Amino acid sequence: VSSTAEQFDFFYLVQQWPGSFCDTRQGCCLPEAGKPAAEFGIHGLWPNYATCRGRGNGLARAVLGDSALLSVAGLGRRGKCWPEYCDDGNSLRPWEIRDLLKPLEQSWGTLSCKNRRSFQFWSYEWKKHGTCSNLDQHDYFAAALALKAQHNLTAILAGAGIAPSDDQTYFLSGIRDAIAEGTGFKANVECNRNADGEVQLFQVYQCVDKTGKKLIDCPLSMNSKCSDKVKLPVF
Ligand code: 5GP
Ligand code: 5GP
């Protein structure tokens, strides 16, 4: 943990749908630990500002309120929207998270082909985002696991009739409503495209208070790259 407390406003708990990571033109590789369950998996727990400040990195995602995505020039003027890489000397040590390795393999597995060891993914997320969280290594990963365990997004969607399918498409509004009702809080969603160019649900961004414990309504909307109807491909 860095010596000075990092100021930020909330976290995004980002979960990815493995089917939508894998059916892209880029494809995916299964982790060494084995094929993950057909469930949303953790991508990261990311500290965020509610209002962008100064200039610098972290421009990509932020949008003001419900308004459309700012122009590229506008993004530049809005400055830095989240802190990152707050302590480069602070590398993730397996010993610190030894009691979490099993649940992490289950809930935070890598689908990258560059390195099929999930520890590599956790190390990257820790350096980029975790070092800005004001949590120590163990508490950071434990917080993400506990938040994910609070609500089963896969089950919430299935309960609303939104089940993985290779031919169905679903209303984005139905997905948003199901998550808001099932978790009690409004989340952001992000889409990507499969190898055929079809738009599909890729990631869900739930918002979390800065202690990392409680879900909150998301204060910002994002450029979601979604259309009105999207797919949720089988994994
Ligand atoms: P991409 O450009 O692929 O959407 O995002 C690249 C990376 O930038 C993400 O993996 C994440 O590390 C960071 N990033 C993108 N959007 C946000 C955001 O809204 N908040 C934070 N904290 N990081 C983000
Ligand atoms: P971010 O987009 O969080 O900055 O970057 C994620 C990084 O972690 C990328 O460099 C990506 O190659 C790597 N990575 C490893 N496994 C995964 C995975 O399962 N999903 C995603 N989105 N990125 C992964």
Side-chain angles (χ1 to χ4, degrees):
V1 182
S2 56
S3 49
T4 47
E6 197 56 40
Q7 301 295 314
F8 62 91
D9 299 306
F10 68 96
F11 287 102
Y12 278 128
L13 174 70
V14 185
Q15 296 191 58
Q16 60 183 357
W17 177 250
S20 301
F21 187 92
C22 288
D23 72 359
T24 55
R25 224 182 312 156
Q26 195 178 306
C28 75
C29 294
L30 300 182
E32 273 182 359
K35 182 175 176 174
E39 290 178 358
F40 282 86
I42 299 173
H43 177 165
L45 182 62
W46 302 348
N48 263 270
Y49 305 135
T51 317
C52 304
R53 42 185 84 167
R55 288 165 182 278
N57 292 325
L59 311 169
R61 285 296 178 63
V63 196
L64 271 179
D66 274 319
S67 68
L69 179 69
L70 288 154
S71 67
V72 172
L75 287 171
R77 263 181 273 113
R78 299 198 58 223
K80 187 171 158 112
C81 302
W82 59 82
E84 60 182 35
Y85 297 110
C86 293
D87 186 359
D88 278 338
N90 184 345
S91 294
L92 183 61
R93 293 175 300 276
W95 179 255
E96 300 288 340
I97 53 168
R98 61 195 178 282
D99 61 320
L100 303 176
L101 292 174
K102 248 208 171 136
L104 283 171
E105 289 288 1
Q106 271 165 22
S107 298
W108 198 333
T110 182
L111 293 168
S112 166
C113 293
K114 280 182 221 137
N115 191 316
R116 294 170 54 226
R117 291 211 180 118
S118 296
F119 188 83
Q120 205 62 34
F121 187 25
W122 312 331
S123 301
Y124 172 90
E125 292 291 320
W126 166 255
K127 272 249 174 104
K128 182 166 181 180
H129 301 285
T131 56
C132 304
S133 70
N134 298 326
L135 298 172
D136 66 24
Q137 298 188 358
H138 187 274
D139 289 352
Y140 176 75
F141 287 95
L145 289 170
L147 287 162
K148 174 179 162 59
Q150 282 178 24
H151 300 283
N152 181 336
L153 293 181
T154 316
I156 286 171
L157 291 177
I162 302 163
S165 162
D166 285 329
D167 36 54
Q168 286 276 72
T169 58
Y170 299 106
F171 283 107
L172 187 67
S173 56
I175 292 172
R176 288 181 180 285
D177 290 351
I179 294 170
E181 271 177 37
T183 67
F185 298 94
K186 283 185 209 147
N188 293 331
V189 294
E190 179 189 11
C191 294
N192 68 357
R193 286 172 186 270
N194 67 19
D196 294 330
E198 296 170 309
V199 179
Q200 53 188 2
L201 179 63
F202 173 40
Q203 301 197 108
V204 176
Y205 291 60
Q206 291 174 281
C207 292
V208 181
D209 75 339
K210 56 187 167 189
T211 70
K213 294 211 162 74
K214 287 188 314 187
L215 288 179
I216 58 173
D217 284 323
C218 284
L220 304 171
S221 59
M222 309 184 331
N223 170 26
S224 71
K225 295 177 251 167
C226 296
S227 43
D228 286 355
K229 294 199 85 181
V230 303
K231 300 186 85 167
L232 183 66
V234 169
F235 176 62

